[in-house]
Amino acid sequence: MASGSKRPASSSSPSAAPSIRPAAGRLGILTPGLGAVATTFIAGVESIRRGLTKPIGSLTQMSHIRLGKRTDNRSPLIKDFVPLAKLEDIVFAAWDPIPDDALTAARKAGVLEDKHLEPIADFLKTIKPMPAVFDNKYVTRINGTNVKKGKTKRDLAEQLRQDIRDFKKKNKLDRMVVVWCASTETFIKAGPQHASLKAFEAAMEKNDDSIAPSMLYAWAALMEDVPFCNGAPNLTVDIPAILELAQQRGIPISGKDFKTGQTWMKTVISPAIKARMLGLKGWYSTNILGNRDGEVLDDPGSFKTKEESKLSVLHTILQPELYPDLYEGFSHVVRINYYPPRGDNKEGWDNIDIVGWMGYPMQIKVNFLCRDSILAAPIVLDLALFSDFAHRAGMKGIQEWLSFYYKSPMAAPGLQPEHDLFIQQTKLKNTLRHLMGEDQITHLGLEYYA
Ligand SMILES: NC(=O)c1ccc[n+]([C@@H]2O[C@H](COP(=O)([O-])OP(=O)(O)OC[C@H]3O[C@@H](n4cnc5c(N)ncnc54)[C@H](O)[C@@H]3O)[C@@H](O)[C@H]2O)c1
């Protein structure tokens, strides 16, 4: 069957899926990190709520989803099809080692102009970061004073749990989601300390170096039954111990590393090269950026974490093992240079050496002048709303359907992650159709020609 016809029991109304808890009450969104991405996200949501701007870049707010056959003419907005939390019901909180409130942090980040911050300054001032679990060992370029103290990492994680409970109680929240918007931590390889929940908890007690602050936030969130999304390339939730906890408690997790600029383009262009069965000799990517993220990534440890995440994309899309004549041994280089004058306005250059008929070489050049946090902010919103929805729909563990939003998407152990943006988009929309009792859309379409 092609584009499915409407199932008798289903309808485009959210109430058609009785097993999904409604989005009643308020949703708390907590971000470790109140820097460029988090403040741009919060300022954007508040501006939308006040009717000052539109949610550009957000699928949950702007995208339609086709249901049934093309001739059915059913294409509701995703937010009218799926029971998502309303923007009016969102309450924000953050942790950061730097004590600046959201207005000061947004001004320092330099992403949004004063004319966009002024009208919501009263609101942004009220968001003050809670003391963070922070250690310079994992992020060397930041010096914060707003930091928790504790004898063991377990103590620190317990304090995070208390923060989550207090935030819920104080704001009379129904549900919460945590989205990591903090700095990229130094590279850590998964080891025996991460292999099981028991080993992880023992390592927390022993202050083991392999337990990074981000992992403590993840553990604390899951212990409080709160979904966790990881916007940075840190290991964080991508370890067996946290996966075990998420399964055990029935909580959605996803990660890692928001797919915003260059990698977004990579996951669009490389499937196109492969779809045409053109070869690839090399792909050179370089970036200049001058925000605090760029400064943190100037540290070799944090850069290695980012590099691993950026490099993983091409191999899985191009499958050189299946197509040795086209893709064996291609060269892939990624560079990030901290260049302060550019602030948050990153410039990326890609030089792509491709090969055509009879081995003739060609080149594609991409020069992307993007605004990092402007691209990342709607991703934070979508991940929070979809993760909350997934939780209410009884989904748990890795949410592969959210791969669309990540550079280095998590997949079940032993499974290759899906990087192709359009497969990811299909997976996302089909998951929504599936959860809402609608037929999958396969694009076969033969029924139109019967
Ligand atoms: N902007 C993008 O397009 C994009 C894309 C992919 C991933 N990311 C990732 O998102 C994260 C945030 O980016 P940004 O541009 O907002 O960076 P930023 O430096 O402006 O903000 C990060 C904030 O996290 C805080 N922080 C560091 N360690 C912390 C901890 N342990 N607990 C709480 N807060 C902590 C820092 O003090 C800082 O205020 C980075 O890891 C970045 O790599 C960003």
Side-chain angles (χ1 to χ4, degrees), residues 316 398 400 409-418 427:
T316 30
I398 299 170
E400 209 202 1
M410 290 167 72
L415 199 64
Q416 281 281 12
E418 189 51 72
K427 191 189 273 288

Side-chain angles (χ1 to χ4, degrees), residues 11-17 20-24 59-61 63-67 75-87 175 382 384-393 395 401-402 427-438:
S11 100
S12 63
S13 142
S15 59
I20 300 175
R21 265 195 299 132
L59 272 71
T60 58
Q61 306 305 303
S63 176
H64 288 254
I65 181 165
R66 189 187 116 202
L67 304 174
S75 291
L77 281 166
I78 285 178
K79 67 175 181 173
D80 293 337
F81 171 55
V82 176
L84 298 175
K86 299 207 172 14
L87 299 192
R175 307 161 324 274
D382 284 3
L385 295 188
F386 278 146
S387 297
D388 168 51
F389 165 65
H391 192 199
R392 283 182 283 110
M395 308 269 278
W401 64 288
L402 298 177
K427 191 189 273 288
L428 187 151
K429 288 193 169 177
N430 271 340
T431 304
L432 296 179
R433 292 181 186 109
H434 166 74
L435 290 173
M436 298 306 295
E438 290 282 340

Side-chain angles (χ1 to χ4, degrees), residues 32 95 132-135 138 148 150 152-161 164 178 180 185 194 200-201 203-208 210-224 228 235-237 239 242 245:
W95 294 272
V133 172
F134 178 77
D135 184 338
Y138 303 89
K148 290 193 194 308
T152 66
K153 294 191 174 185
R154 171 107 194 201
D155 292 342
L156 294 168
E158 292 294 350
Q159 291 178 42
L160 292 172
R161 290 185 65 182
I164 295 172
V178 172
W180 177 269
E185 295 173 332
H194 310 118
F200 180 90
E201 289 178 348
M204 280 203 300
E205 300 280 5
K206 286 192 208 128
N207 286 335
D208 193 294
S210 64
I211 308 295
S214 64
M215 295 174 188
L216 301 180
Y217 285 95
W219 180 85
L222 296 180
M223 292 297 286
E224 293 302 316
F228 190 99
L235 263 186
T236 314
V237 282
I239 50 175
I242 294 290
L245 183 59

Side-chain angles (χ1 to χ4, degrees), residues 204-430:
M204 280 203 300
E205 300 280 5
K206 286 192 208 128
N207 286 335
D208 193 294
D209 278 348
S210 64
I211 308 295
S214 64
M215 295 174 188
L216 301 180
Y217 285 95
W219 180 85
L222 296 180
M223 292 297 286
E224 293 302 316
D225 296 331
V226 174
F228 190 99
C229 312
N230 179 18
N234 323 315
L235 263 186
T236 314
V237 282
D238 210 354
I239 50 175
I242 294 290
L243 192 52
E244 187 184 327
L245 183 59
Q247 286 289 349
Q248 205 182 80
R249 302 194 69 88
I251 313 297
I253 53 172
S254 65
K256 44 194 195 300
D257 206 3
F258 302 133
K259 177 151 84 175
T260 47
Q262 198 166 47
T263 309
W264 166 50
M265 280 290 124
K266 220 166 244 182
T267 60
V268 171
I269 295 170
S270 62
I273 295 171
K274 187 180 175 202
R276 279 292 319 266
M277 287 289 107
L278 296 168
L280 181 78
K281 273 261 176 299
W283 195 311
Y284 179 80
S285 302
T286 188
N287 300 275
I288 52 174
L289 82 159
N291 58 13
R292 199 190 288 143
D293 186 32
E295 194 179 351
V296 167
L297 292 174
D298 213 34
D299 171 71
S302 292
F303 176 67
K304 183 159 169 49
T305 310
K306 196 64 150 187
E307 187 184 27
E308 292 271 324
S309 160
K310 281 182 164 257
L311 285 178
S312 64
V313 168
L314 287 184
H315 264 87
T316 30
I317 291 181
L318 296 174
Q319 298 177 292
E321 63 293 349
L322 268 188
Y323 300 98
D325 290 338
L326 298 174
Y327 306 121
E328 194 168 57
F330 68 82
S331 165
H332 186 195
V333 177
V334 178
R335 293 278 176 270
I336 299 179
N337 290 303
Y338 176 52
Y339 179 59
R342 280 303 169 90
D344 197 63
N345 298 348
K346 183 159 81 180
E347 180 156 4
W349 289 269
D350 286 88
N351 171 75
I352 312 159
D353 286 294
I354 63 170
V355 184
W357 188 244
M358 296 177 72
Y360 277 80
M362 292 172 267
Q363 292 182 358
I364 302 173
K365 312 269 184 195
V366 182
N367 181 198
F368 191 6
L369 284 84
C370 74
R371 291 174 189 266
D372 249 9
S373 303
I374 294 295
L375 290 170
I379 293 184
V380 180
L381 174 64
D382 284 3
L383 282 172
L385 295 188
F386 278 146
S387 297
D388 168 51
F389 165 65
H391 192 199
R392 283 182 283 110
M395 308 269 278
K396 59 181 176 178
I398 299 170
Q399 301 300 299
E400 209 202 1
W401 64 288
L402 298 177
S403 298
F404 179 81
Y405 295 107
Y406 292 113
K407 273 196 202 58
S408 191
M410 290 167 72
L415 199 64
Q416 281 281 12
E418 189 51 72
H419 282 289
D420 178 326
L421 188 86
F422 297 104
I423 296 179
Q424 292 173 334
Q425 185 197 31
T426 304
K427 191 189 273 288
L428 187 151
K429 288 193 169 177
N430 271 340

